[in-house]
Amino acid sequence: MKIILATRNKGKVKEFNVLAEGTNLEFISLPEEIGDLPEETGTTFQENALIKAKFAFENCGGTPCLADDSGLEVKFLDGAPGIYSARYSEEGTDDSNTHKLLKDMHGVPKKDRKASFKCSLVLIGKDCDHSVEGSFEGEIGTSLKGKNGFGYDPIFVLPESGLHLAELNQIEKIKVSHRSIAFNKLKAVLEVSR
Ligand code: ITT
């Protein structure tokens, strides 16, 4: 089954290609000529994923489209950056966002550094409309570590190993992440084999 990924985030595209390995799903990038995805005006990850999936489906000639809306919720910051994860800092780059978060968490004790990654996936096709979610718990570190992954991976610490997510390779991250938890639910709904 061919599915267009309704995202402009290269980190997500890489991860979905790994997730699709061994399944009968083939992910295709969103055609460049479609332009930018619409503004994310929803109030939840699910609403924003729906906005992106709908837009892609309406502009891609009937091919099924999958959108991912995801982000990081930090308990001490009352759930921020949440749905604003990609635009947390003024510049809105991975680098500036992670540095802003480290600054906002400066001096906060370890016990109050709990955070979770959330991922909402929406798949829209001619005969299908599915929505699933995944969540992954950890904590915010006090420095950047690792070169892999994207976004907030260098400051997200895994509870058991103490490793930062960016220290894991792609396969190791995929085994534990919010994105793979959501994707496994989607596979179950679609009854896709591995
Ligand atoms: P699209 O809307 O084009 O998919 P985006 O990067 O703007 O790309 P989102 O609106 O879903 O995507 O924002 C998600 C942000 O949350 C992303 O930019 C990262 O900063 C962060 N994020 C999501 N998943 C992540 C992950 O697995 N590791 C690290 N950071 C992640």
Side-chain angles (χ1 to χ4, degrees):
M1 178 183 186
K2 285 193 187 199
I3 299 178
I4 291 176
L5 281 178
T7 180
R8 291 290 182 210
N9 180 320
K10 292 192 174 76
K12 289 183 187 175
V13 173
K14 276 191 197 163
E15 292 191 7
F16 277 110
N17 284 323
V18 175
L19 287 167
E21 278 172 22
T23 72
N24 60 8
L25 302 180
E26 185 190 337
F27 287 119
I28 307 167
S29 294
L30 187 66
E32 283 301 326
E33 60 271 21
I34 285 168
D36 289 341
L37 289 164
E39 200 186 338
E40 294 176 18
T41 52
T43 57
T44 62
F45 294 111
Q46 204 259 346
E47 283 175 15
N48 283 336
L50 184 62
I51 289 170
K52 293 187 271 192
K54 255 187 173 169
F55 171 84
F57 183 65
E58 283 163 6
N59 287 281
C60 288
T63 306
C65 293
L66 178 70
D68 165 316
D69 201 68
S70 44
L72 184 62
E73 290 182 346
V74 182
K75 216 171 161 194
F76 183 78
L77 302 175
D78 295 326
I83 58 167
Y84 304 106
S85 292
R87 328 159 236 172
Y88 189 46
S89 61
E90 214 176 297
E91 209 184 315
T93 62
D94 285 355
D95 207 39
S96 61
N97 290 338
T98 43
H99 278 97
K100 174 168 165 50
L101 190 56
L102 276 184
K103 203 167 141 223
D104 291 351
M105 293 296 284
H106 183 72
V108 174
K110 184 173 162 55
K111 68 174 180 48
D112 294 326
R113 302 184 75 91
K114 293 200 176 4
S116 54
F117 269 123
K118 302 277 159 119
C119 173
S120 194
L121 300 180
V122 171
L123 175 70
I124 300 185
K126 274 189 195 125
D127 311 312
C128 66
D129 184 347
H130 302 296
S131 182
V132 289
E133 300 200 325
S135 174
F136 175 46
E137 314 290 318
E139 61 187 52
I140 304 302
T142 51
S143 64
L144 294 121
K145 275 191 196 163
K147 296 268 174 250
N148 303 323
F150 66 96
Y152 296 90
D153 287 347
I155 60 168
F156 188 86
V157 183
L158 294 144
E160 278 167 26
S161 64
L163 287 171
H164 290 215
L165 209 43
E167 295 182 282
L168 306 190
N169 66 37
Q170 209 166 40
I171 306 283
E172 288 166 339
K173 178 182 170 184
I174 287 298
K175 280 186 197 152
V176 293
S177 84
H178 50 309
R179 189 158 291 105
S180 70
I181 292 167
F183 186 74
N184 284 336
K185 291 183 189 170
L186 186 68
K187 278 200 311 189
V189 174
L190 297 172
E191 293 177 355
V192 173
S193 60
R194 181 162 257 284

